[in-house]
Amino acid sequence: METGSIPLSSLPGGFDVHATLESGQSYLWRREDGRMYEGDEDGSPWYYIALDLDEQDAATVPLPDGDPHAIRFRVAADSLEWEATCDAHDALVHLLRLDDDLDAIVADAPDEALIGEAYDAYRGLRLVRDPPFGCTVSFICSAQMRVERIHEMVSTLAREYGEPVTLDGRTYHAFPTPDRLAAATEAELRDLGLGYRAPYVQRTAEMVATGEAHPASAAGLAYEDAREYLTRFVGVGEKVADCVLLFSLGYDEAIPLDTWMRTVVSDYYPDCDRGNYTETSRALRERFGGRYAGYVQTYVFHLLRTRE
DNA sequence: TATCCAAGGTAAGTT
DNA sequence: AACTTACCTTGGATA
């Protein structure tokens, strides 16, 4: 086992791990105490992730040698401490976007009440950078589901099809590789509670496993072209595509237009409702300051979902 | 106890 | 291209 730490003072804008990992951006991390989404964090719990990535996903995550690997960390008084099966420093910085300058991103936001309230309430919330395949399947599962249940579904897939990885005596399960998921049947996935998403997950996994396409291949395309590319996967429409762009591929301007954001549009920015996804998305992106509009979206989403 | 409803939507069929 | 409808499952609200 290797260990290390990262001083919190080196993270501009701080790091709120609870807000970052329990706000519905990533479903690939879990809390050691199993109390994900069950209220405020109790002390400083450990969070862990196991990684067993295919070639394209592995190329996006800076790990020192081949998969699989497990990483866990917690945020102590003045540092982030980690333990892993390898030197995980660079992978943590990558996955949790610890190199983002939050102060600069917040300063870049439009001066509006709702946005200011969200940024003030959850300062330290960072976007995540999930491996593309796991992120894509997570959000295929997210259709018409509550955040807690999406997490359950992804955990179930990992338990049933994922590679076990042992770290210091504890065994974790990585999100399954495309091959392993492609080999599952629709019936099996339905039995695991995926409902009508079962064939979407299987067919998308098959597209990736056979090399027909890969979510990581969208990286580098112009934003709206990248979104269009991702919709070729079964179960991926414009909203899920925006989630993958924002939470995996670093398109910080992407604003997933979900039910919460549509409520925001009708309650706060009715003039941004242009009747269709693309145009409404463009209008809201403009209103959210453009370049980091997705950062604004994530804070506002979390604020609306957690207040009251 | 039985029904209804909405949950971070998408695909397929119809105008 | 815009509009409808069906779709699995589950927990919480309503009757």
Side-chain angles (χ1 to χ4, degrees), chain A residues 42-115:
Chain A
D42 183 22
S44 34
W46 289 86
Y47 290 84
Y48 65 86
I49 192 171
L51 299 168
D52 180 25
L53 307 172
D54 72 345
E55 196 176 332
Q56 287 89 337
D57 271 11
T60 71
V61 184
L63 284 171
D65 52 359
D67 287 336
H69 282 297
I71 303 169
R72 68 167 166 256
F73 76 92
R74 68 175 172 180
V75 177
D78 55 4
S79 70
L80 181 163
E81 316 172 340
W82 55 264
E83 305 175 348
T85 56
C86 61
D87 182 352
H89 178 278
D90 293 352
L92 278 165
V93 170
H94 173 88
L95 294 167
L96 302 173
R97 297 185 56 155
L98 301 178
D99 48 350
D100 278 351
D101 184 346
L102 278 185
D103 289 330
I105 290 167
V106 171
D108 184 73
D111 183 19
E112 289 194 26
L114 178 67
I115 297 172

Side-chain angles (χ1 to χ4, degrees), chain A residues 114 255-267 269 280 284 288 293 296-302 304:
Chain A
L114 178 67
I255 303 178
L257 280 185
D258 52 33
T259 55
W260 293 91
M261 277 297 130
R262 289 179 188 280
T263 301
V264 168
V265 170
S266 66
D267 289 357
Y269 309 99
T280 302
L284 190 60
F288 278 1
V296 174
Q297 181 273 352
T298 300
Y299 273 81
V300 170
F301 173 83
H302 190 50
L304 267 54

Side-chain angles (χ1 to χ4, degrees), chain A residues 3 6 11 60 62 68 80 101 109 121 124 129 131 136 145 150 155 170 186 193 220 222 238:
Chain A
T3 66
I6 299 171
L11 309 177
T60 71
L80 181 163
D101 184 346
R129 196 179 279 121
T136 301
M145 279 292 146
I150 301 166
S155 299
R170 271 175 230 161
E186 175 182 335
E238 292 172 302

